[in-house]
């Protein structure tokens, strides 16, 4: 056996000198000698729970063949803290504190879903001003939530600047929410019967200041990230979820609307004061990551429109209905759903007549989005897997509960 | 008095290597980008955002534990997560510090009644600074970093004093 191939490149073993460019020896076109006989191995990559682009403590096991994902399995439960069980030991007014910490990016929507379910059992008539305040706060919270998604989705695709601009706008929103509710993230603002505090004059000023700049800022966002050719190359045609898959997995919200079905709880089963609002539902039928991006950016513009209507037409009156201090709903059950930034967020509440819920079931929209993303991962590239997981907007607090 | 700054025991000329290193560590506390729950939005995202801009204190995020000095435990740690937190802590090079951010990381917070939740991350890793709040404001985390800086310089003094004491 000629031992030279062990120390030298296989191409040098042929008689033809490699400088002759007119003829390429067969051995040069193949991999160096010895490698052909080997089997390639599939690699299992453990992405998470500590990974900068899994948006929390998601762990995804990826089986890779080269750079292609062959199989994907997500492991959840790293943030399981028993919100549903603990709600059985909280009075009705206190469950909101737990709901806030479920989907911590959009607390108002979580509280609202629980409050609507409790009101449905108790048959409370909520004052009109409270309904409008709920819509106002929910839409402000929706913009704040989409800004978190927008900032981190850009990070997933390799951009950095848009994150800082998103946080700039979010700070203005959190100032408004803090002024009204007293907290930057965990509001506990929406209670069964209404809202806990009226809007303050300083908050109205802040909302007007926010509304005067947000349109130009949204244009800026569209140019900065959406108009970026590299970003478009990373997201166009990547991670396509067709409508059948989307419906089969129970996707809701922007993920479903990006796949071509215009289902929106705010339009189809109006709650609070959404039937009085004039807004459009942005849609797309492409189903790829770019479509999801465009739908969410469109939703932010629509949310700004709703905030404008709320602040102009806010009716006078009480902000809290006459409800007893300790709520004791009659025996019964109710399901209430809201359109959270991630989709249909539902609360199924069962009451046994005591001052704590008998059972509270919480439908987290991100759980279904994660399963759909997991299903479309095989066949994509590893770099695209990060983009796909980012595009469906998962919040692990909501998934694990 | 003025000449003491240059020739005294703790002067610039006779600065000890520990003092020099700790001075450098105080002003480049890189934290690990490891958000567990809600606190991560406030303590990691808004902290590095334009308003609070921790970068001006030398506090910046690194994606890998191998490059990090500080671990901010931002969120509820449950039994499944605890092993990972410990492992990440072990992967960080010495010297390292831990900030327990928020009620959950300090005591278990609103979820402490649930059997799956670890009642404070100090059951898993040693904690240097506890930050109260649910979630704490970014200013609180900023203050925690200032306290950590104080703690590092105090430790230098203690170490030097102990060495002087043992040397006689």
């Amino acid at each position: 056996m000629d031992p030279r191939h062990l120390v030298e490149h296989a191409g040098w073993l042929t008689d033809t000198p490699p400088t002759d460019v007119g003829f390429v020896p067969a051995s040069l076109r193949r991999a160096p000698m010895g490698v052909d006989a080997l089997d390639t191995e599939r690699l299992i990559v453990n992405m998470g729970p500590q990974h900068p682009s899994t948006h929390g403590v998601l762990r995804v096991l990826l089986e890779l063949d080269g750079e292609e994902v062959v199989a994907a399995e997500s492991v959840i439960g790293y943030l399981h803290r028993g919100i549903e069980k603990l709600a059985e030991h909280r009075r009705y007014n206190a469950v909101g504190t737990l709901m806030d910490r479920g989907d911590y990016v959009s607390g108002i929507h979580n509280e609202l879903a629980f409050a609507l379910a409790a009101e449905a059992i108790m048959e409370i008539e909520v004052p009109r001003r409270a309904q409008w305040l709920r819509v106002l706060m929910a839409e402000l919270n929706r913009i704040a939530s989409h800004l978190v998604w927008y900032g981190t989705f850009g990070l997933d695709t390799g951009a950095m600047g848009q994150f800082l601009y998103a946080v700039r706008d979010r700070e203005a929103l959190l100032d408004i929410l803090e002024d009204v509710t007293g907290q930057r993230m965990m509001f506990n603002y929406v209670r069964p019967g209404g809202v806990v505090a009226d809007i303050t004059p300083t908050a109205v000023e802040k909302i007007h200041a926010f509304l005067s700049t947000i349109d130009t800022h949204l244009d800026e966002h569209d140019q900065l990230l959406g108009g970026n050719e590299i970003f478009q190359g990373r997201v166009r045609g990547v991670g396509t979820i067709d409508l059948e898959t989307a419906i089969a997995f129970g996707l809701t919200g922007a993920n479903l609307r990006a796949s071509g079905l215009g289902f929106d709880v705010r339009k189809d089963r109006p709650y609070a004061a959404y039937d009085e609002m004039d807004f459009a539902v942005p849609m797309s039928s492409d189903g790829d990551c770019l479509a999801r991006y465009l739908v969410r950016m469109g939703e932010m513009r629509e949310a700004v429109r709703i905030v404008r209507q709320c602040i102009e037409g806010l009716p006078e009156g009480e902000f809290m209905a006459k409800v007893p201090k300790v709520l004791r709903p009659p025996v019964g059950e109710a399901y209430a759903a809201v359109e959270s930034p991630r989709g249909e967020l539902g609360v199924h509440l069962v009451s046994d007549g005591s001052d704590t819920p008998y059972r509270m079931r919480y439908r987290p929209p991100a759980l279904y989005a994660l399963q759909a993303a997991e299903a479309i991962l095989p066949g994509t590239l590893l770099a695209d897997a990060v983009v796909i997981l980012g595009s469906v907007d998962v919040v692990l607090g909501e998934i694990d509960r | 008095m003025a000449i003491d700054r240059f020739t005294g025991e703790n002067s610039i000329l006779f600065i000890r290597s520990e003092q020099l290193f700790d001075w450098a560590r105080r002003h480049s506390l890189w934290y690990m980008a490891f958000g567990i729950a809600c606190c991560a939005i406030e303590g990691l995202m808004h902290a590095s955002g334009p308003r609070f801009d921790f970068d001006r204190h030398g506090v910046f995020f690194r994606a890998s534990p191998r490059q990090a000095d500080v671990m901010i435990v931002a969120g509820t740690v449950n039994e499944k997560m605890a092993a990972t937190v410990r492992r990440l802590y072990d992967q960080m090079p010495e010297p390292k510090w831990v900030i327990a951010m928020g009620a959950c990381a300090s005591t278990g917070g609103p979820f402490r009644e649930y059997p799956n939740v670890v009642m404070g991350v100090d059951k898993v890793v040693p904690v240097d600074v506890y930050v109260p709040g649910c979630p704490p404001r970014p200013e609180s985390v900023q203050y925690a970093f200032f306290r950590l800086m104080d703690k590092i310089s105090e430790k230098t003094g203690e170490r030097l004093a102990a060495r002087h004491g043992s040397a006689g």
Side-chain angles (χ1 to χ4, degrees), chain A residues 10-198:
Chain A
W12 295 97
L13 294 179
T14 55
D15 298 333
T16 321
T19 45
D20 181 3
V21 288
F23 171 73
V24 182
S27 58
L28 261 186
R29 269 187 255 124
R30 304 210 317 268
M33 189 184 282
V35 176
D36 277 355
L38 291 177
D39 281 336
T40 54
E41 221 173 48
R42 285 184 175 176
L43 188 68
I44 291 184
V45 172
N46 184 24
M47 188 173 145
Q50 191 265 331
H51 189 278
S53 58
T54 51
H55 299 237
V57 286
L58 173 64
R59 176 177 170 207
V60 187
L61 287 167
L62 296 168
E63 191 177 343
L64 300 178
D65 183 9
E67 215 178 325
E68 196 184 305
V69 178
V70 182
E73 191 183 340
S74 57
V75 184
I76 59 174
Y78 287 96
L79 196 50
H80 176 59
R81 43 194 182 175
I83 288 176
E84 287 183 2
K85 186 67 190 167
L86 287 178
E88 295 169 15
H89 301 276
R90 296 278 194 280
R91 288 189 175 168
Y92 280 87
N93 275 338
V95 177
T97 53
L98 292 173
M99 297 299 291
D100 274 332
R101 287 155 184 81
D103 177 1
Y104 39 82
V105 191
S106 60
I108 295 275
H109 297 270
N110 291 254
E111 296 163 13
L112 186 51
F114 179 80
L116 288 173
E119 284 157 8
I121 300 179
M122 295 185 71
E123 294 170 357
I124 301 175
E125 188 76 25
V126 179
R128 192 148 169 268
R129 187 178 174 84
Q131 302 278 33
W132 279 63
L133 280 173
R134 285 174 173 188
V135 172
L136 173 63
M137 289 300 139
E139 292 306 315
L140 287 173
N141 203 187
R142 185 186 310 278
I143 306 172
S145 168
H146 278 342
L147 281 172
V148 168
W149 168 82
Y150 162 80
T152 50
F153 184 46
L155 290 179
D156 292 344
T157 56
M160 180 74 207
Q162 90 298 328
F163 171 75
L164 301 172
Y165 285 91
V167 173
R168 173 197 64 184
D169 290 349
R170 219 179 114 82
E171 289 285 357
L173 281 163
L174 293 191
D175 277 350
I176 299 167
L177 290 167
E178 188 186 10
D179 199 321
V180 180
T181 67
Q183 242 275 26
R184 280 164 64 92
M185 277 179 75
M186 306 302 169
F187 313 105
N188 200 9
Y189 178 67
V190 182
R191 307 266 176 92
V195 294
V196 95
D198 205 351

Side-chain angles (χ1 to χ4, degrees), chain A residues 190-266:
Chain A
V190 182
R191 307 266 176 92
V195 294
V196 95
D198 205 351
I199 193 165
T200 57
T202 49
V204 176
E205 275 172 35
K206 283 175 188 168
I207 292 174
H208 281 302
F210 172 75
L211 289 176
S212 64
T213 56
I214 185 64
D215 284 329
T216 50
H217 285 180
L218 283 175
D219 291 342
E220 209 173 79
H221 291 316
D222 270 344
Q223 288 161 14
L224 186 66
L225 191 67
N228 188 323
E229 240 175 77
I230 303 171
F231 173 76
Q232 289 186 359
R234 286 296 304 276
V235 295
R236 195 189 294 277
V238 170
T240 307
I241 304 177
D242 56 27
L243 188 56
E244 272 178 38
T245 318
I247 293 173
F249 276 95
L251 280 192
T252 45
N255 296 326
L256 179 64
R257 291 194 285 273
S259 295
L261 184 66
F263 173 74
D264 189 322
V265 184
R266 293 175 293 175

Side-chain angles (χ1 to χ4, degrees), chain A residues 319-340:
Chain A
F319 57 85
M320 189 80 185
K322 292 270 178 290
V323 288
K325 281 243 157 61
V326 178
L327 300 173
R328 287 179 196 277
V331 179
E333 55 185 289
Y335 175 81
V338 299
E339 179 73 21
S340 98

Side-chain angles (χ1 to χ4, degrees), chain B residues 12-127:
Chain B
I12 296 165
L13 276 181
F14 296 97
I15 191 167
R16 288 163 190 278
S17 54
E18 288 97 337
Q19 285 174 309
L20 183 67
F21 290 150
D22 279 354
W23 172 78
R25 280 168 192 147
R26 272 207 307 281
H27 296 98
S28 66
L29 287 169
W30 289 357
Y31 62 86
M32 182 167 52
F34 175 46
I36 300 178
C38 341
C39 289
I41 307 280
E42 290 280 87
L44 306 180
M45 277 183 62
H46 280 260
S48 55
R51 183 184 288 180
F52 298 102
D53 192 17
F54 281 16
D55 203 1
R56 66 203 151 122
H57 307 300
V59 177
F60 198 63
F61 64 87
R62 306 303 300 174
S64 163
R66 306 275 182 205
Q67 300 166 342
D69 305 303
V70 183
M71 179 157 83
I72 306 179
V73 183
T76 320
V77 178
N78 65 15
E79 296 285 343
K80 191 171 181 178
M81 197 67 211
T84 312
V85 171
R86 181 69 214 186
R87 190 168 172 186
L88 286 167
Y89 178 78
D90 290 340
Q91 284 176 347
M92 284 163 61
E94 292 276 0
K96 51 193 170 186
W97 299 276
V98 177
I99 294 177
M101 182 187 175
C104 290
S106 302
T107 65
F111 304 102
R112 59 177 293 134
E113 299 152 36
Y114 198 63
N116 191 26
V117 172
V118 176
M119 291 199 198
V121 75
D122 49 8
K123 303 267 188 298
V124 186
V125 291
V127 176

